Amino acid sequence: MQKSLKTEFLGITITSPLVLPAGVMGMAFSGFNISIKNGAGIVTSKSLTLEPRIGHKCPVVAEFEGGILNCMGLCNPGIVDGLAEIDQFKKRSDIPVIVSVFATNTDDFLKLTKHVNKSQANFLELNLSCPNVFDEFGIPLAASQDEVHNIVKAVKQISKLPVIAKLSPNVYDIVSIAKAAESAEADALCMINTVGPGMLIDTKMIKPVLFNKFGGLSGPCIKPIALKLIYQTYSAVDIPIIGMGGVTYGEDAIEMLMAGAAVIGVGTAVHYRGIEVFNKINEEMLEFMEENNYQSLKEIPRLEKLNG
Amino acid sequence: MDKRYTLKIDRIVEETSDIKTFTFKHDLTAKPGQFIMLTDFEGGEKPFSISECSDEKFSITVKRIGEFTTRLFQKCIGDYVSIRGAYGSSFFISKNKVLLVGGGYAIPTFYFFAKVLLGAGADVTLINGARTKSEHVFADRFHELNIKVINTTDDGSFGEKGTAIEIAKKIISQEKFDFIYASGPEMMMKAMQNALQDQDRVQDQEQGLDYEFLFERYMKCAIGICGNCTMDPLGLRLCVEGPVLPKCKVEQLTEFGKYHRDASGKRHEF
C-alpha cells in the first residue's frame, strides 16, 4: 500500500500535515501560492490587525548559531487588504487557509472576527502571544488564563469559522492556559509562538543588533521547549494542536507528532532549507514511515500521556 | 549561518551632491547583481547593490533619499557600520555581445558587472542614463574600461539627449545583441521590456532577445522568511530568488510596472 501523509484537520482533508505558520511568507497571495506549490498542506496569513502596521524599524532579524531572533512587530496590511490577499488565493486553490488576527482586547477581536466571517478563509487563529510588541501593548494576553478564556469565548460566539488559539511558550503553567482556551470552546491550539524574547549585542558598536532590542527566538534551539510544552498540553486537553517550534527536518516533524501534535508548523526552516522545505520534510516523513512500516500518520504512535 | 560583519568605512567618494560611494576592506565574495543589508543600529537596515568587489574590498554606491541614507551620508572614514550578505541572485555572465541599460543611481552595480563580463570575454555596450548632468554617475570610471559607452541625459545636459530607453530602442534596431540587462526605476524597465517585445515582433524571432532585469522591493529580513518582498503571482522572494530575475520569470510577473508593497504589505500603484 502507498504510504500517505493525507490527514484531517478540524474536518478538512489535507494532503500534507505541514502548516505555513503566521508571520512567514503570508503577506501576499503569491506567498501562499509558492508555499503550497512546495508542499505545505495549510497556510496561515500574517497576523492581521484592524489597521495596517509597518512593524518595527529594521534590523528586525538577527541570526545566531541556534536559530533566529525576530521582532517584525506585527507588520501587516490591515484586515481588509489582508483578507483580500486570502480571497485572491482562494480563487485558484482549495488548500485551507488560517487567518491569524491580532488585537489587544475583546472588542477589537470581535471586530476582526466579523471581517473574517465574510472571507473565504477556513480557520480563525487568535494571536494572543506576540512577544515583540511589549513596549506598545504590554504582557501578551496568552499569559493570563482569564484573558485567554474570555477572548476565545467571546469570539466563539460570533465566529463562523473554527477558532484556534495561538499560545505563548513564555508562561509558567502552559496546561492551565491551554485548558482555559479549551473550556472556552477553542477548536484547536497553535503552539508555540517564539520563545523569550532574547537579545544579541554588536560588540564593536556596542548596540543591540535588533533595533527593538529584543526579539522572539525561533529555529532549532527552541525545538526541545516546543516538544515539552506540546507534550504537556497534549496530555491535558482533547482538542487538536498545531505543533511548531524549530521543525527543520522530517524527524523533527515526527517528534512533534509523537509529542501529540495533529499537524506541524514549519517556519524558520524556510530560511535554512529554502521554500522547498515543505516537500523535503514531506519526503523525509514518508521515508520514516517506509522504514518503520507505518501506512498513515495515524499509525505513528504518540507518547503515553503524562499522568494527571 | 549567515554572519553579520561590523566594518569600518575605508573610503568615501562623493559622486554627486546626492550620491556617495562607500568602500569597505572585507572579502564579501559577492556576484554582480547581489546586495548587502547595511545598518548603523540607529533605526533602519537597507539593501544596497554592490558597485565594486574584489578579494580585499567592496563598495556600495548610495543615493541620499531618506532619513537612513541622510545619516549614512554624515558618516566619516573609520566609522563603523554593520553588514550582512551578500544576498540574492546574480546576473548571468554572458561571453558574447551584450547591452547594459541603466538609469540614475542603479548604474553603479553595472560597474562591478561590466568588469566581470570583460573578464569572461564579453563584448559590452553600456547605456548610462540619467535625468540630468548632476545626477549622472560613473562616466569616468566606465570610460576607463574597454567597453562601448553611450552617456545620455533626458535634458541633454550631458551626453546624448534622450532617455536611456529611447537610445536603447535605436541601438537594438541597428545591432544584434545576445543578451540585454537592465537596472533602474521600475517604469524604465517596463519600457525596456516593451521595447524588447516590439523589437522581437519586427525581427519576427521565435526566441526573442534574452534579458535579465534587476528589481527593487521593500525588504526586511533579506533571508526569505518575512515575505515582504514577495512578487505576484509567482511568490518570488526578491531577496532570495531576486533581485536579478530572468526573462522567463519577468514575463509572468503581474505586478511588474503596476504595483509594489510597502513596509506593511499594503499595495501601491506605480
Side-chain angles (χ1 to χ4, degrees):
Chain A
M1 201 178 121
Q2 186 80 35
K3 307 275 184 287
S4 170
L5 294 174
K6 200 191 259 186
T7 187
E8 251 193 31
F9 182 70
L10 296 177
I12 296 183
T13 302
I14 47 178
T15 51
S16 160
L18 301 185
V19 180
L20 177 79
V24 181
M25 289 296 292
M27 187 76 95
F29 74 94
S30 60
F32 300 140
N33 284 349
I34 195 155
S35 304
I36 62 162
K37 199 177 151 199
N38 284 286
I42 301 180
V43 294
T44 313
S45 73
K46 288 255 178 197
S47 287
L48 303 174
T49 48
L50 284 169
E51 297 300 325
R53 287 176 57 91
I54 59 169
H56 291 307
K57 276 192 173 179
C58 293
V60 286
V61 296
E63 205 170 338
F64 65 104
E65 279 177 11
I68 289 175
L69 283 184
N70 95 79
C71 56
M72 298 305 300
L74 296 169
C75 52
N76 79 93
I79 188 76
V80 174
D81 288 31
L83 290 176
E85 298 280 350
I86 290 167
D87 288 349
Q88 193 167 351
F89 168 72
K90 289 297 270 186
K91 273 184 199 161
R92 301 236 173 124
S93 174
D94 54 8
I95 297 282
V97 176
I98 302 172
V99 187
S100 177
V101 296
F102 176 89
T104 55
N105 59 67
T106 306
D107 280 355
D108 285 354
F109 269 117
L110 290 176
K111 283 180 195 159
L112 289 162
T113 305
K114 283 175 190 164
H115 283 282
V116 174
N117 278 343
K118 289 180 274 182
S119 77
Q120 302 294 311
N122 302 84
F123 309 111
L124 171 61
E125 176 181 283
L126 308 177
N127 180 356
L128 306 165
S129 50
C130 178
N132 300 319
V133 285
F134 190 87
D135 287 349
E136 202 175 342
F137 303 126
I139 295 168
L141 298 164
S144 155
Q145 292 174 52
D146 291 346
E147 295 276 22
V148 168
H149 183 87
N150 294 340
I151 290 164
V152 171
K153 196 172 175 188
V155 169
K156 271 298 288 182
Q157 277 166 5
I158 66 160
S159 177
K160 291 182 179 166
L161 303 179
V163 174
I164 303 162
K166 180 137 186 188
L167 301 185
S168 169
N170 311 315
V171 294
Y172 279 111
D173 183 4
I174 192 71
V175 167
S176 61
I177 306 278
K179 280 184 167 172
E182 186 182 43
S183 70
E185 290 178 25
D187 296 279
L189 301 173
C190 179
M191 58 194 292
I192 56 176
N193 209 322
T194 52
V195 172
M199 75 183 295
L200 291 165
I201 296 167
D202 186 275
T203 53
K204 282 186 179 156
M205 293 177 74
I206 320 170
K207 293 271 186 191
V209 173
L210 298 176
F211 186 66
N212 185 52
K213 296 187 181 71
F214 313 136
L217 273 78
S218 62
C221 66
I222 72 164
K223 187 185 76 171
I225 298 172
L227 286 170
K228 180 248 186 192
L229 294 173
I230 290 162
Y231 176 50
Q232 283 181 299
T233 304
Y234 162 72
S235 299
V237 302
D238 293 322
I239 51 178
I241 298 168
I242 306 175
M244 63 185 68
V247 174
T248 312
Y249 296 94
E251 194 164 355
D252 302 326
I254 301 290
E255 279 184 274
M256 284 284 164
L257 293 177
M258 290 181 169
V263 291
I264 307 121
V266 178
T268 303
V270 167
H271 167 52
Y272 297 120
R273 303 185 72 194
I275 193 72
E276 309 82 4
V277 67
F278 300 99
N279 275 332
K280 289 178 182 169
I281 294 179
N282 282 336
E283 277 169 33
E284 288 156 2
M285 291 178 78
L286 285 170
E287 279 167 28
F288 172 86
M289 290 162 72
E290 184 69 44
E291 282 165 20
N292 295 280
N293 205 25
Y294 301 122
Q295 304 302 319
S296 69
L297 293 178
K298 266 187 194 160
E299 290 184 15
I300 295 173
R302 271 56 174 176
L303 292 186
E304 195 179 320
K305 288 188 177 187
L306 284 166
N307 293 328
Chain B
M1 192 188 98
D2 295 329
K3 268 191 87 168
R4 173 179 286 285
Y5 297 92
T6 297
L7 308 170
K8 279 182 180 168
I9 299 170
D10 186 55
R11 191 161 174 256
I12 301 172
V13 176
E14 200 167 325
E15 308 287 351
T16 71
S17 59
D18 274 334
I19 298 180
K20 280 186 181 180
T21 296
F22 298 86
T23 301
F24 303 91
K25 277 187 182 159
H26 175 69
D27 180 8
L28 191 66
T29 56
K31 294 176 191 152
Q34 288 190 303
F35 67 96
I36 57 156
M37 294 298 282
L38 183 146
T39 184
D40 59 358
F41 299 121
E42 299 291 338
E45 182 184 38
K46 301 284 178 192
F48 294 102
S49 287
I50 296 144
S51 52
E52 276 200 86
C53 190
S54 68
D55 291 347
E56 304 92 39
K57 60 181 185 176
F58 76 93
S59 305
I60 55 169
T61 301
V62 179
K63 184 179 167 70
R64 177 165 53 192
I65 44 176
E67 184 194 322
F68 180 83
T69 45
T70 299
R71 225 167 45 229
L72 188 56
F73 267 49
Q74 287 160 1
K75 305 227 181 279
C76 306
I77 290 170
D79 285 352
Y80 277 120
V81 294
S82 192
I83 66 133
R84 55 195 178 100
Y87 291 129
S89 62
S90 57
F91 288 114
F92 164 70
I93 313 290
S94 172
K95 293 183 174 63
N96 301 313
K97 187 171 156 78
V98 303
L99 176 66
L100 314 185
V101 183
Y105 74 98
I107 272 288
T109 191
F110 277 163
Y111 183 61
F112 174 25
F113 184 36
K115 287 209 254 184
V116 173
L117 283 168
L118 286 173
D123 173 357
V124 182
T125 301
L126 166 79
I127 301 172
N128 181 356
R131 278 184 300 192
T132 186
K133 188 180 178 182
S134 62
E135 294 176 12
H136 199 281
V137 290
F138 276 49
D140 293 347
R141 259 170 272 187
F142 281 117
H143 185 72
E144 287 163 16
L145 299 181
N146 185 24
I147 63 172
K148 187 181 170 195
V149 182
I150 303 154
N151 293 309
T152 78
T153 47
D154 295 3
D155 62 3
S157 55
F158 183 73
E160 290 192 32
K161 186 176 191 304
T163 67
I165 300 306
E166 286 163 3
I167 310 294
K169 274 186 188 171
K170 205 160 52 177
I171 292 183
I172 57 175
S173 69
Q174 292 163 351
E175 293 179 50
K176 189 173 174 338
F177 291 93
D178 296 293
F179 216 100
I180 317 278
Y181 304 90
S183 169
E186 183 131 333
M187 297 319 283
M188 183 206 101
M189 293 196 295
K190 190 70 196 170
M192 188 67 220
Q193 187 192 34
N194 291 337
L196 289 166
Q197 285 167 347
D198 289 346
Q199 186 59 28
D200 287 347
R201 275 193 286 276
V202 171
Q203 294 185 338
D204 198 21
Q205 288 186 3
E206 209 172 286
Q207 282 282 307
L209 283 160
D210 206 353
Y211 61 80
E212 283 181 342
F213 292 168
L214 190 143
F215 283 86
E216 262 188 62
R217 284 294 180 272
Y218 201 101
M219 286 181 188
K220 285 186 175 174
C221 78
I223 54 174
I225 296 179
C226 76
N228 214 113
C229 64
T230 310
M231 287 187 85
D232 297 336
L234 302 176
L236 296 174
R237 300 160 298 168
L238 209 64
C239 66
V240 175
E241 284 86 29
V244 177
L245 295 177
K247 179 183 182 179
C248 61
K249 300 274 192 250
V250 176
E251 282 177 335
Q252 296 179 67
L253 292 176
T254 47
E255 72 172 74
F256 177 29
K258 292 205 171 66
Y259 64 89
H260 60 99
R261 289 182 174 86
D262 67 15
S264 77
K266 218 171 165 56
R267 297 185 194 185
H268 295 274
E269 285 178 15
F270 279 106

